[in-house]
Amino acid sequence: MKVLVCVKRVPDTGGGFKLTPDGMRVDTTNVGFAVSPHEECAVEEAIRIIEKHGGSSTVLTLGPPAAGEQLREAIAKGITGAILVEAEDYESWDPAATAQAIAETVKPLGFDLLLFGNESADTCNYQVGVRVAHLLELPCVTGIKALEIQNGKAIAKRETKDGWEVYEVTLPAVFTVKEGINTPRHPSLRGIMSAKKVPIEQKRVTKPAPQLVRKALKKPQEGRQLEILGQGPEAVPKIVEKLRELGAI
Amino acid sequence: MILAILETAKQAISEASWETITAACDLAQKTNDSVTALLIGREVRALAPTLSGVSTVLVAEDPQLDSYIPEAFAKIVSEVIKQKSPQIVLAPGTETGNDLMARVAARLGLGLATNCTEFHLTRSGEGQGEVRVTRSNWGGSLLEEVEILSKPILLTLQPHAIPAHAAAGPEPAIEALSPTLTAKEFRVRVKELLRSEKKGISLTEAKIVIGGGRGLGSAEAFKMLEELASLLGNAAVGATRVATNNNWRPHSDQIGQTGAQIAPDLYIACGISGAIQHMVGCKNSKKILAINKDAEAPIFQRADYGVIGDLHQIVPALIAELKRVKGA
Ligand SMILES: Cc1cc2nc3c(=O)[nH]c(=O)nc-3n(C[C@H](O)[C@H](O)[C@H](O)COP(=O)(O)OP(=O)(O)OC[C@H]3O[C@@H](n4cnc5c(N)ncnc54)[C@H](O)[C@@H]3O)c2cc1C
Ligand SMILES: Cc1cc2nc3c(=O)[nH]c(=O)nc-3n(C[C@H](O)[C@H](O)[C@H](O)COP(=O)(O)OP(=O)(O)OC[C@H]3O[C@@H](n4cnc5c(N)ncnc54)[C@H](O)[C@@H]3O)c2cc1C
């Protein structure tokens, strides 16, 4: 079994966003970087599948050299190989261009299973995995929350309002994963140490012409006025009064 | 022509599809254009006459299309686009809508802007002019304005961004299509449907949601939130990613960018810092009450009511008081 998982380096913003003065991007001064929770789960799923069925797992990212950090985090958890597709001017790539570069890179490598996040954390375009599948002429199921491999087939489940849709497709195939499919492990100290030694394969690609061009980034309106009801358990009568006012009791 | 792709569920047009029709009609009015709608399914023709405001309804029926079959639907939409040459194609930005349009965009080699909230057209008609849209980033925490260079313009509409309103107009013309589908389009399809047992009030339907975060400290501590929920009635318990990642709660309880989006009358956030990725899942709550021991926590900038202090003292005291009040 050869499994590929694709991740994207994004700023790890918690408390709030600061935008750059030109309003074009998130200011990443003094912020760490991460991958989306969906992609963390895709990494975990790849590791589990290889633990169970044997084979190799590869993590791939398209981005700046610094994205090697996200590849090593995946290796530290148990992924066995890594590819960095170095993209100049990576902020102006669009989903079609990203998919084309990924498809070109992985086509000769013959993966049986290709995992993506359902959508990336930042630009949320919901399409890179589907586009890669199309370019490689592979079947694709999006937004899955369960996956099982049996005799060259993949059984994937998608959650709906009333239950689960069960899909069965023949490998090789592409899946886009949603958080909840598993609980990702933390890397072990030994994993972190040995990840430093695993070589990262570097690839270069030329940028296909983009069809989507970002013009501005802005924050939506937030309009709440805070009223402090009190401190500690002494605030309880005030809370009850408020709950009553709101019709909650 | 503006082409609106509609979703049906249980023999009805979905809410997100009505929103799509409204948005398509607004766009058509601004550009002096007309709207054509596309219905795909096993038996969907009966729904066509209800679509007033739309000039033509294309109906693609096939006995095999008993549920959403991704490649078959994508082939039908792609062929309609090739034959009818619309300026703009708009679909609901639901899971299915985004899946479908990504496949259509890949087949036609076109760009696709998903989850749009606003449209800015400088000129249309000739297929020229600049088309910019505002779309949701970070699950809605930020908005991005993008220009789309490829034609026709493919878009999906963020659910709830534009409220659906009924458009007046004569009954639309109906045109039946006869799709040609091959086995290839059926290699991805639902093999089985599993129904899940409903237990209690669901997060997305509850009038009151009580959320717990890292401040809860254990799975055990969530029992007191459950007790508070049962005292309030029509209430459900949710959680942050920290709580689900620690296995204190199942992922289905997670509220936020990669969890559920809720819109209750009241959200009570306990021991939650108020990270944007959490708040984007509860920002549509009518009122937010936060209990946090740190007066500087960002949640207090995003709440209506705040209580500063240890939730492990405040919540039990609140439960005791509610029991007393209810008993009285
Ligand atoms: C580090 C970085 C920063 C960027 N910053 C900006 C910016 O500030 N402004 C701007 O307009 N554009 C930016 N882009 C480009 C833009 O985000 C691309 O459109 C993007 O690569 C594709 O869209 P998406 O990530 O929203 O795709 P989606 O379709 O939402 O992604 C689905 C899945 O595809 C995979 N995937 C997506 N992108 C990559 C990737 N690069 N490498 C590996 N797998 C991937 C992941 O598994 C992801 O979960 C940036 C790209 C990168 C790599
Ligand atoms: C792309 C992306 C998507 C994400 N999606 C989600 C998502 O869907 N949902 C989600 O929740 N998160 C999501 N996150 C994670 C998010 O950024 C935060 O890390 C998370 O929401 C923090 O959870 P928390 O508030 O429980 O924990 P913390 O941020 O650690 O906050 C705990 C809070 O509890 C308070 N506290 C501690 N003890 C007590 C006490 N005894 N009494 C009162 N208060 C106390 C502290 O003062 C603190 O403010 C996502 C992150 C990324 C990058």
Side-chain angles (χ1 to χ4, degrees), chain B residues 181-194:
Chain B
L181 299 169
T182 62
K184 197 171 170 235
E185 281 92 51
F186 290 89
R187 63 181 178 167
V188 175
R189 69 172 308 164
V190 177
K191 195 182 145 224
E192 197 185 343
L193 280 174
L194 306 175

Side-chain angles (χ1 to χ4, degrees), chain B:
Chain B
M1 165 187 150
I2 295 173
L3 180 65
I5 316 288
L6 307 184
E7 270 174 12
T8 61
K10 299 185 181 114
Q11 301 297 316
I13 308 277
S14 73
E15 184 59 24
S17 296
W18 286 115
E19 293 169 3
T20 301
I21 296 172
T22 299
C25 289
D26 287 352
L27 274 171
Q29 205 176 24
K30 279 189 201 133
T31 55
N32 223 344
D33 211 333
S34 65
V35 177
T36 294
L38 172 60
L39 282 171
I40 307 173
R42 190 173 59 189
E43 279 170 25
V44 287
R45 194 193 170 100
L47 299 170
T50 63
L51 302 172
S52 52
V54 166
S55 59
T56 307
V57 182
L58 306 174
V59 179
E61 286 187 333
D62 186 300
Q64 300 173 92
L65 301 177
D66 52 357
S67 63
Y68 172 59
I69 297 166
E71 288 299 331
F73 277 53
K75 185 178 185 200
I76 293 170
V77 175
S78 304
E79 278 175 5
V80 167
I81 293 173
K82 279 193 242 161
Q83 282 164 19
K84 308 277 175 185
S85 313
Q87 314 283 334
I88 298 174
V89 183
L90 185 63
T94 53
E95 287 184 15
T96 317
N98 284 336
D99 177 288
L100 172 61
M101 291 306 283
R103 290 174 199 263
V104 169
R107 279 170 175 261
L108 301 175
L110 295 171
L112 162 67
T114 51
N115 300 78
C116 299
T117 56
E118 272 178 69
F119 309 99
H120 323 272
L121 306 178
T122 50
R123 196 146 54 89
S124 180
E126 305 303 314
Q128 302 164 4
E130 208 184 68
V131 179
R132 285 192 188 191
V133 296
T134 302
R135 56 180 302 277
S136 147
N137 271 205
W138 290 96
S141 303
L142 284 180
L143 296 170
E144 172 192 44
E145 205 175 289
V146 291
E147 184 182 349
I148 304 162
L149 301 178
S150 56
K151 302 262 154 68
I153 306 287
L154 305 188
L155 308 169
T156 72
L157 177 69
Q158 171 75 28
H160 311 304
I162 296 172
H165 55 76
E171 223 177 74
I174 298 175
E175 184 184 330
L177 307 174
S178 26
T180 42
L181 299 169
T182 62
K184 197 171 170 235
E185 281 92 51
F186 290 89
R187 63 181 178 167
V188 175
R189 69 172 308 164
V190 177
K191 195 182 145 224
E192 197 185 343
L193 280 174
L194 306 175
R195 294 205 149 264
S196 44
E197 297 280 313
K198 279 232 162 33
K199 8 178 212 323
I201 302 158
S202 82
L203 259 190
T204 48
E205 282 157 5
K207 290 273 176 229
I208 302 173
V209 175
I210 306 167
R214 192 193 299 276
L216 266 288
S218 65
E220 192 64 25
F222 271 88
K223 290 208 179 119
M224 79 187 163
L225 300 193
E226 295 283 1
E227 189 177 4
L228 182 57
S230 68
L231 279 167
L232 291 172
N234 201 353
V237 173
T240 67
R241 182 164 183 247
V242 166
T244 58
N245 265 4
N246 278 317
N247 286 321
W248 299 341
R249 301 295 288 187
H251 180 268
S252 51
D253 283 358
Q254 185 173 312
I255 296 163
Q257 184 176 341
T258 50
Q261 323 283 309
I262 59 165
D265 292 344
L266 174 65
Y267 180 53
I268 307 179
C270 307
I272 293 174
S273 64
I276 32 179
Q277 294 89 3
H278 179 74
M279 298 313 287
V280 76
C282 62
K283 67 172 183 196
N284 292 325
S285 309
K286 281 202 193 111
K287 295 287 177 196
I288 298 177
L289 165 72
I291 304 176
N292 196 303
K293 67 175 183 190
D294 175 9
E296 303 296 318
I299 186 107
F300 289 126
Q301 287 152 37
R302 303 185 174 119
D304 302 281
Y305 310 107
V307 180
I308 301 160
D310 183 357
L311 72 92
H312 297 279
Q313 293 176 9
I314 297 165
V315 176
L318 178 59
I319 289 170
E321 179 64 9
L322 285 176
K323 279 186 180 158
R324 197 187 61 79
V325 174
K326 287 204 151 190

Side-chain angles (χ1 to χ4, degrees), chain A residues 203-224:
Chain A
K203 303 263 184 186
R204 279 206 154 264
V205 285
T206 43
K207 183 171 108 180
Q211 295 153 326
L212 300 184
V213 181
R214 175 181 288 182
K215 295 292 180 180
L217 201 56
K218 59 188 182 205
K219 293 185 189 179
Q221 302 272 347
E222 282 186 60
R224 290 188 197 265

